[in-house]
Amino acid sequence: MSFAIPRPALLLGLAGLLPFLYAALAGQEPRLEIDLAPALLVAEVYGLVIFAYMSGVFWGFAVAGKKTAGDAGWRWLGLAVAPAVVMVLALVVEPGRQADLLLVGFPALLPIDFLFQRAGLAPRWWLALRLLLTAVVVSCLWIAVSGAGEAL
């Protein structure tokens, strides 16, 4: 088996970074910001969507790997729903502060990614993709937050 990230997964993953890249660029250069899409708001809303999406990915790994029976089911499915629970909690945080939660949350998903991969539930290339995407997402969020000032 190869650790190489399949081209479709890599390209779609990179395309999924576009809203984060927009938020980082527009957060630093207000002339690039679209009136209907404030940079920090885009980063937060899209970030929360992707964060919840990760629950679905983890759920798929657990179910496809048939690790849902008995005590193991509680562990794997519990890990799978954790990002969705955090996302719901993030909804009660005031806008402008959700990005701070995402800055901590995205790196916090990596140990879950690692556990799924180590258990053979995620593809061998999964962690390489997640490390790449997480590094870009966190960098973009950091830049968007630092450039947002009092925008919201």
Side-chain angles (χ1 to χ4, degrees):
M1 291 207 160
S2 173
F3 287 102
I5 302 166
R7 187 177 202 81
L10 179 61
L11 294 178
L12 290 170
L14 293 174
L17 295 173
L18 291 174
F20 292 114
L21 292 167
Y22 162 76
L25 291 170
Q28 292 300 309
E29 180 51 64
R31 292 179 297 166
L32 298 175
E33 194 165 47
I34 300 167
D35 287 341
L36 296 175
L40 189 57
L41 183 63
V42 167
E44 289 180 329
V45 171
Y46 186 69
L48 291 173
V49 168
I50 296 301
F51 206 81
Y53 170 80
M54 289 306 299
S55 273
V57 170
F58 294 150
W59 186 275
F61 288 161
V63 172
K66 298 180 182 14
K67 295 280 188 176
T68 55
D71 291 339
W74 286 106
R75 177 178 51 239
W76 294 111
L77 294 176
L79 285 171
V81 300
V85 171
V86 171
M87 195 267 323
V88 169
L89 295 174
L91 294 176
V92 301
V93 176
E94 66 182 274
R97 304 304 302 177
Q98 293 167 337
D100 295 334
L101 182 62
L102 292 170
L103 276 167
V104 174
F106 276 108
L109 292 177
L110 291 174
I112 299 173
D113 288 303
F114 172 78
L115 290 172
F116 275 102
Q117 186 168 354
R118 188 178 73 179
L121 299 173
R124 291 181 60 147
W125 50 265
W126 178 252
L127 199 53
L129 177 64
R130 290 287 297 125
L131 287 167
L132 170 66
L133 297 178
T134 299
V136 176
V137 166
V138 170
S139 298
C140 287
L141 284 169
W142 183 266
I143 293 167
V145 168
S146 69
E150 298 293 322
L152 293 179

